[in-house]
Amino acid sequence: MMGKACVRALLGSALLTACVGGGTVRHESSTRIAADTGPDDTTITSPFPVPAAGATTASAHLPGIVPLFAPQAPIETLQFTLPDGTLVTRFGNRAVGRHGRERGEEWNEAGQGPNETVDEAGQPVDKGRGASLSFVPNSFRNRTWGLEIIDDSRVAGVTRPTLKVNTYNPTVDFLPGGTAFFRAFDRVGVTGYGWMDNGELLDRSGAICRPVGYPANGQPGTDHCTVLVKGYPAHAGLGADGFPDGRTVAARPLKIGDAVEVAPSMYTTSRAMQARGDAGGIRYVAGEWLYVVGQGLTPWHGVQPRLNSAPLPESVLSGGSGSVSYNYSDEGARMFQQPAGNIGMQNMQRFLEGRRTAHSSFVTGAHDESGNDPMTAVANLAGQRFNASSCVQCHTGNGRSPAPFMVGQRLEGMAFHVAVMDADGALRPDPRYGSAILMNAASASGASRDGGNAVKVAGFETRVVTLADGTTVELRKPRFAFDGPTPQRWSARAAQPLIGVGLLEAVPEADILARVRSKPDPDGVRGQANFSVDPETGVTRLGRFGWKATKASVRHQVAAALLNDMAVTSPVFPNRSCSMDPAGCRAAPPQIGITEGDLTALTHYMQLLAVPAQRSLASGFPKGVAPMEEHRVDPVQVAAGRRVFDALRCAACHTAEMKTGSTHPFAELRDQTIRPFTDLLLHDMGPDLADSLPEGRAPAAMWRTPALWGIGYTEKVAQWTPVGYLHDGRARTLTEAILWHGGEAAKARQRFERLPTADRAALLAWLRSL
């Protein structure tokens, strides 16, 4: 049979027909593909190329799999070297509410010094979390700017290096003095969060810095709003107790390897803001960066005597050089919302515009945070039925969806993928629900109400596991009840954390496929790739995202979530019939949906979400200040826990380290060594974790290995929402999650069950440090 081969893959659980080249494959279930012949009369047994039996995975290139990204110039250049050796580093800033080492109060207020705030009983008052990781109202409007550090420390013949720091913003005026360097905590008399500017303004006239456009990629910029840093600052000497003793130490010249703290502020004129139709403030602070002379930006943590900034070692940078630095403002709930720490000047703006879309209702356009203007462009785009009206209603704090924890609970924060299997063995969308159950319906007022499709918790099945040391653990599995007809095939899916998806997208296909085992290892672990038909081009790609690895790219995943969770159409899925009739998806007339610009912005936001650095190092809090809970770290126990993890052979699936490629559009994601603890492959997890809905090459018991990075922040990010692990949120603790492992992970679980108490505690401490 000649012509193009049309193959069908699952979108959610719906089948999508696409043509991918010569030959034909019948429309069959993705778990039972009938043989057919290609143009050369060879037998086609699968719609996707599969490694030959016994082939080593390193040589199994799978002809026909199209990489996500071809070689290309990055959207924005972050760092480059001029011919004379001058190092140019560029990064973006956004307005935030407070400085990075404040948690509501100054350090001297936390039980120290004469200025502390006390209650009627004379006890120090905790003013709550800080605002260094927060997002100010309308953060997406006129509240980003860029810094460029020009470093001549590696220029031949330079003996007294300098850092020239230029400020860029194309829309607003800047008042001079908006960039400060070097915390002044070691100076006599400075007990709070003082600053010392060791730079020298080149423009001493006090003139307002007028708007200037961002510099071209890889090209020298323009000296504008410039600070010249000529040396390390003078500071007070320290006594034995770590506090200033009155001695002074003279400034010295900069040298390669010096760690220079950078804390920009945004001072603008009211005239400039008003001219842009913006009623926002005229003074904002920004985050904090650490610049290493001769090297560039680096994530940091706080050391003695008072959380002085020091570079984090490479071994704890879970998300590479863009990892989120340690948080000292008590804002653990916001740790999954941060941009890459190495984000570019203009990419910061792209990130915030996408964030606005993620936090806006596709029913009303309202932003879920107070003080933000509504986003009218996405209002009324949700279909008549939907689960959530915004992305963050399911992804709490960009983390997991609320867990099923009580009888009668409605589960619109989760996704229920559904299908029917026809007599010919092919899976097709459910005739009532389509690819996924949408539980709410739009009302005349724009609010949501029960649409008759709700899924609720009907009860729980429980059993008890006794570990070798006598500890008993209750395992609990939810039972679900459907308001409408019970689907023939269905799968409960919890929303997964969004952090690091851009980094996973940047891992080369060949590196992922190299981990596929054609024969099981001694524990029975294999690992299998899933594949996906690109819904826009029809080419076959490697699956990376979703619980069954059926989505090839972040854009694909975002567009599928918009369609299946909110019934929002997009350039990827232009008609709501894509959920009910995948074969006719692109042939149906397009319906009004999210624009290409807003879909791209939302995709960019997801791609640039950063991963927190591992908290395996003790922090040097000021004298008398107790560490926050997330920083009560025992480095020895954490290190022991990693050894237990390795001894259990958990890394057979939860791959510890990967390297991203050099072709992703964002330079922030290129050539990064990352530690996601996933292989992005499918593994058989045994009957206890099986559902009734296969997808692609993933039968009911097969699941893509979830990443572990950030897992220690799960409860912080969820705040008051009960957390749940595994695909249906059943596991209330990490211990429960491990004890549900079966199939290929059964032997690793059995080793866990036999662990001594101290080793089990160490393993859990290590997991909580991620």
Side-chain angles (χ1 to χ4, degrees):
M1 289 177 284
M2 302 296 292
K4 293 184 177 180
C6 295
V7 301
R8 299 212 291 175
L10 284 168
L11 159 64
S13 60
L15 289 163
L16 174 67
T17 297
C19 300
V20 297
T24 302
V25 176
R26 288 201 203 106
H27 295 171
E28 298 286 343
S29 164
S30 58
T31 57
R32 186 183 62 80
I33 303 296
D36 211 328
T37 55
D40 57 356
D41 293 325
T42 56
T43 299
I44 301 174
T45 57
S46 169
F48 304 112
V50 181
T56 61
T57 54
S59 64
H61 297 297
L62 296 183
I65 299 301
V66 180
L68 275 178
F69 307 111
Q72 59 187 299
I75 292 174
E76 186 174 6
T77 300
L78 308 180
Q79 189 178 64
F80 57 94
T81 302
L82 298 179
D84 66 352
T86 298
L87 183 65
V88 180
T89 302
R90 293 170 175 166
F91 58 100
N93 297 270
R94 66 177 180 87
V96 301
R98 298 294 296 172
H99 294 297
R101 291 174 182 80
E102 295 176 311
R103 46 174 171 173
E105 66 276 345
E106 298 271 3
W107 288 119
N108 63 300
E109 292 187 67
Q112 295 289 318
N115 299 319
E116 66 176 317
T117 301
V118 297
D119 60 19
E120 294 180 355
Q123 297 299 312
V125 175
D126 185 349
K127 296 180 182 177
R129 70 174 60 136
S132 176
L133 303 181
S134 63
F135 291 82
V136 300
N138 287 340
S139 61
F140 46 83
R141 182 171 297 135
N142 307 316
R143 289 162 178 77
T144 63
W145 69 102
L147 286 189
E148 173 185 65
I149 299 180
I150 302 174
D151 178 349
D152 64 3
S153 64
R154 295 190 179 275
V155 175
V158 171
T159 58
R160 299 182 68 89
T162 60
L163 304 179
K164 184 187 292 183
V165 186
N166 295 323
T167 304
Y168 297 93
N169 182 291
T171 60
V172 298
D173 297 340
F174 272 69
L175 297 172
T179 301
F181 290 81
F182 308 112
R183 276 184 80 218
F185 49 76
D186 290 342
R187 288 194 303 175
V188 175
V190 176
T191 60
Y193 205 79
W195 286 91
M196 174 175 140
D197 182 3
N198 196 55
E200 179 180 301
L201 285 172
L202 296 183
D203 183 359
R204 294 180 176 276
S205 65
I208 292 173
C209 300
R210 298 300 182 186
V212 61
Y214 291 112
N217 278 347
Q219 299 297 317
T222 303
D223 292 346
H224 184 77
C225 287
T226 301
V227 173
L228 185 66
V229 181
K230 299 192 298 184
Y232 229 60
H235 62 280
L238 299 176
D241 61 358
F243 280 81
D245 63 4
R247 294 181 294 113
T248 60
V249 178
R252 62 164 175 78
L254 292 172
K255 67 178 187 299
I256 291 176
D258 279 341
V260 179
E261 292 173 342
V262 183
S265 292
M266 180 181 183
Y267 297 87
T268 70
T269 67
S270 57
R271 179 194 65 79
M273 298 297 268
Q274 291 169 1
R276 305 291 299 182
D278 191 334
I282 61 174
R283 180 188 182 279
Y284 298 99
V285 298
E288 295 183 35
W289 282 260
L290 191 65
Y291 182 86
V292 178
V293 177
Q295 174 182 321
L297 298 179
T298 182
W300 57 272
H301 71 309
V303 299
Q304 289 292 349
R306 298 177 69 195
L307 292 181
N308 309 45
S309 295
L312 280 167
E314 195 268 344
S315 61
V316 306
L317 301 184
S318 301
S321 60
S323 299
V324 184
S325 299
Y326 282 17
N327 157 49
Y328 297 114
S329 53
D330 202 13
E331 295 179 89
R334 300 186 178 115
M335 284 298 281
F336 287 1
Q337 301 183 47
Q338 303 311 306
N342 57 351
I343 193 168
M345 292 190 283
Q346 298 177 73
N347 288 341
M348 178 67 87
Q349 180 63 32
R350 294 183 175 100
F351 175 87
L352 291 174
E353 289 172 358
R355 183 182 188 275
R356 181 192 188 189
T357 308
H359 282 258
S360 294
S361 167
F362 283 80
V363 175
T364 66
H367 198 287
D368 75 328
E369 298 166 322
S370 62
N372 288 279
D373 295 339
M375 188 175 181
T376 56
V378 300
N380 302 313
L381 293 185
Q384 283 299 304
R385 283 185 172 158
F386 50 87
N387 280 341
S389 62
S390 70
C391 304
V392 294
Q393 283 186 347
C394 293
H395 296 277
T396 304
N398 284 348
R400 291 169 168 77
S401 55
F405 67 95
M406 61 181 294
V407 175
Q409 176 187 356
R410 298 181 79 249
L411 298 169
E412 62 264 30
M414 295 177 63
F416 283 79
H417 294 185
V418 295
V420 295
M421 181 172 284
D422 288 346
D424 63 357
L427 283 174
R428 294 186 172 86
D430 184 281
R432 172 186 171 102
Y433 301 117
S435 299
I437 297 178
L438 299 177
M439 304 184 200
N440 296 316
S443 68
S445 65
S448 64
R449 58 178 174 81
D450 191 333
N453 285 353
V455 184
K456 301 172 183 176
V457 178
F460 297 93
E461 300 171 4
T462 63
R463 62 185 174 92
V464 174
V465 174
T466 301
L467 305 181
D469 65 356
T471 300
T472 59
V473 182
E474 181 189 65
L475 302 187
R476 192 174 76 165
K477 177 183 177 180
R479 290 185 289 105
F480 301 109
F482 299 84
D483 282 359
T486 299
Q488 182 193 93
R489 300 292 183 103
W490 58 274
S491 179
R493 307 285 175 86
Q496 299 187 69
L498 301 176
I499 57 171
V501 294
L503 290 164
L504 297 178
E505 186 181 50
V507 176
E509 284 81 358
D511 289 3
I512 299 170
L513 294 171
R515 295 183 174 89
V516 175
R517 297 176 179 89
S518 56
K519 295 180 180 179
D521 73 2
D523 278 358
V525 177
R526 291 190 59 177
Q528 177 176 301
N530 210 347
F531 301 95
S532 176
V533 175
D534 188 313
E536 294 182 275
T537 65
V539 301
T540 303
R541 299 193 191 276
L542 178 67
R544 301 170 189 255
F545 302 112
W547 282 105
K548 299 280 191 181
T550 55
K551 308 302 184 297
S553 66
V554 175
R555 177 183 172 93
H556 186 183
Q557 176 69 26
V558 167
L562 288 171
L563 179 69
N564 288 326
D565 296 336
M566 291 182 276
V568 174
T569 64
S570 67
V572 180
F573 301 113
N575 193 291
R576 292 186 183 91
S577 67
C578 294
S579 177
M580 299 295 295
D581 177 25
C585 174
R586 302 194 71 80
Q591 296 173 315
I592 295 175
I594 191 172
T595 64
E596 175 60 44
D598 288 336
L599 175 62
T600 298
L602 186 56
T603 301
H604 285 170
Y605 168 66
M606 303 292 183
Q607 290 168 324
L608 289 168
L609 280 169
V611 177
Q614 183 188 5
R615 289 162 292 117
S616 56
L617 303 175
S619 297
F621 281 86
K623 182 180 179 181
V625 177
M628 292 168 285
E629 186 275 332
E630 66 193 90
H631 290 297
R632 294 193 183 106
V633 174
D634 180 344
V636 174
Q637 186 186 41
V638 170
R642 174 57 194 273
R643 291 192 294 272
V644 173
F645 176 83
D646 291 338
L648 297 181
R649 298 201 69 251
C650 300
C653 301
H654 292 281
T655 302
E657 187 173 292
M658 292 182 174
K659 183 75 178 290
T660 65
S662 58
T663 59
H664 196 282
F666 283 119
E668 292 88 335
L669 308 178
R670 295 184 174 191
D671 302 312
Q672 298 290 324
T673 299
I674 60 175
R675 295 163 182 84
F677 294 96
T678 174
D679 57 6
L680 296 176
L681 297 176
L682 301 169
H683 294 274
D684 186 333
M685 297 300 292
D688 282 345
L689 289 178
D691 60 18
S692 64
L693 185 64
E695 291 190 54
R697 289 164 48 121
M702 270 196 169
W703 302 97
R704 189 207 71 164
T705 308
L708 298 182
W709 53 14
I711 200 166
Y713 269 110
T714 299
E715 293 184 5
K716 286 279 187 184
V717 169
Q719 300 187 74
W720 57 85
T721 305
V723 301
Y725 304 94
L726 302 177
H727 71 277
D728 56 5
R730 70 176 69 179
R732 294 161 292 181
T733 66
L734 294 173
T735 298
E736 286 183 54
I738 295 169
L739 293 175
W740 276 109
H741 282 48
E744 295 177 35
K747 290 188 178 180
R749 185 204 70 233
Q750 291 162 6
R751 295 187 189 104
F752 175 79
E753 293 173 346
R754 296 193 295 266
L755 283 176
T757 305
D759 285 352
R760 188 171 69 249
L763 175 65
L764 296 174
W766 176 77
L767 287 169
R768 288 192 294 268
S769 77
L770 296 179

